[in-house]
Amino acid sequence: MSEQVEPVTVAVDALGGDVGASVVLPGVAAALEEDPQLNVILCGPAEAVEPFAAEHDRCRACVATEEITMGEHPATAVRRKKDSSLVVGCRQVKEGRAQGFFSAGSTGAVLAAGTLVIGRIKGVARPALCTVLPSPVRHVVMCDVGANADCKPEYLVQFAQMAAIYTELVLERPNPKVALLNIGTEEAKGNKLAQEAHALMKERVPQFVGNAEGGDVLAATYDVYVTDGFTGNVCLKTIEGTSKVLFGAVKQAAGKSPLTLLGAGLMKSGLKDLSESISSERIGAAPLLGVKGACMVGHGNSNETAIKNGIHITAKTIRLRVDEMIAQTAAQARA
């Protein structure tokens, strides 16, 4: 990073992800090398974090004796395992030693710890998980994608406000177009939640442009898509699954005959560019918007590059003071 940036401290869960420290530690090392103003508090077992911290400048070990695994009930595990790497990392933010936290561990546990340990911004009814979708057209944002399965219309208004702030600051997209994910574009479409949310967003969200359908998401018709966490998570997993199936089908078709193999060779560069453009590795992490500081969750199958980029986006979110802008918006809504 050549530009002058302010120093920040990010707490990192050394056990996050499907394979834990074997991927997280190289990712942390790469992030430290690329960002000379980055400091890391590495949370995890002594045998993993202490030798690494001793060998890397700007990294401090924070020993945690417990681990929250993917199969555990998130809220229960967060309450019971207070010395887990995930909870200890969030506590660094709560107590002011770090400005942000990153983990590629259990999404549910990160959401629970972010809310219970770090704490909500005053005036935010429900923190929401916001993800950047790597559309081949341009990146778009969806919020919520799993934190709140059951929502009130007022929650969707706040999701829209918070996601618009994140999109404008982090994606550097001024005045982003915000749409409500629905089953039709007409104002009266959808269930009761969608209809009531539409009316409130039209009144309270300046960037609101109306309803959007599922086909608008990857087409990047708008910048931000707002929905409840149940619908958003189903939509996200459908997109991820479809992407894997399509690329697998293309690869299989390419090897069916010498002619298709030749065609695949000619298209190799273009397919590589497309694959990279929609890869989640480049994004690295999704923010839990509405909590104090930055709380970011990476994909469970994150590799070294995804971990590195997840830490980078956490640092960027801190430097842009996204949480402060959300707090200001929440305060204005209460006034």
Side-chain angles (χ1 to χ4, degrees), residues 128-132 140-144 155-173 175-179 201 205 207 223-227 287-290 322 326 329:
L129 187 60
C130 175
T131 192
V132 177
V140 296
V141 169
M142 184 176 288
C143 185
D144 184 12
Y155 300 170
L156 298 189
V157 172
Q158 283 198 328
F159 297 170
Q161 294 168 338
M162 295 190 296
I165 290 170
Y166 188 81
T167 304
E168 184 164 355
L169 294 177
V170 178
L171 268 62
E172 301 173 9
R173 201 168 296 170
N175 196 32
K177 295 179 180 179
V178 178
M201 290 171 68
V205 181
Q207 306 94 328
D223 301 299
V224 179
Y225 298 87
V226 178
T227 186
L288 178 62
L289 300 178
V322 172
I326 290 174
T329 300

Side-chain angles (χ1 to χ4, degrees), residues 161-235:
Q161 294 168 338
M162 295 190 296
I165 290 170
Y166 188 81
T167 304
E168 184 164 355
L169 294 177
V170 178
L171 268 62
E172 301 173 9
R173 201 168 296 170
N175 196 32
K177 295 179 180 179
V178 178
L180 177 65
L181 192 61
N182 208 331
I183 60 172
T185 58
E186 297 86 356
E187 191 167 330
K189 283 284 188 176
N191 56 16
K192 184 179 179 182
L193 171 64
Q195 292 177 17
E196 292 182 0
H198 186 287
L200 288 177
M201 290 171 68
K202 187 176 180 180
E203 177 185 338
R204 302 179 190 175
V205 181
Q207 306 94 328
F208 183 58
V209 294
N211 290 327
E213 295 180 307
D216 292 314
V217 178
L218 287 186
T221 307
Y222 308 109
D223 301 299
V224 179
Y225 298 87
V226 178
T227 186
D228 61 273
F230 182 91
T231 304
N233 191 266
V234 171
C235 184

Side-chain angles (χ1 to χ4, degrees), residues 251-268:
K251 186 176 180 181
Q252 186 178 27
K256 282 190 173 181
S257 71
L259 188 60
T260 56
L261 197 60
L262 175 62
L266 295 173
M267 293 178 62
K268 185 176 180 180

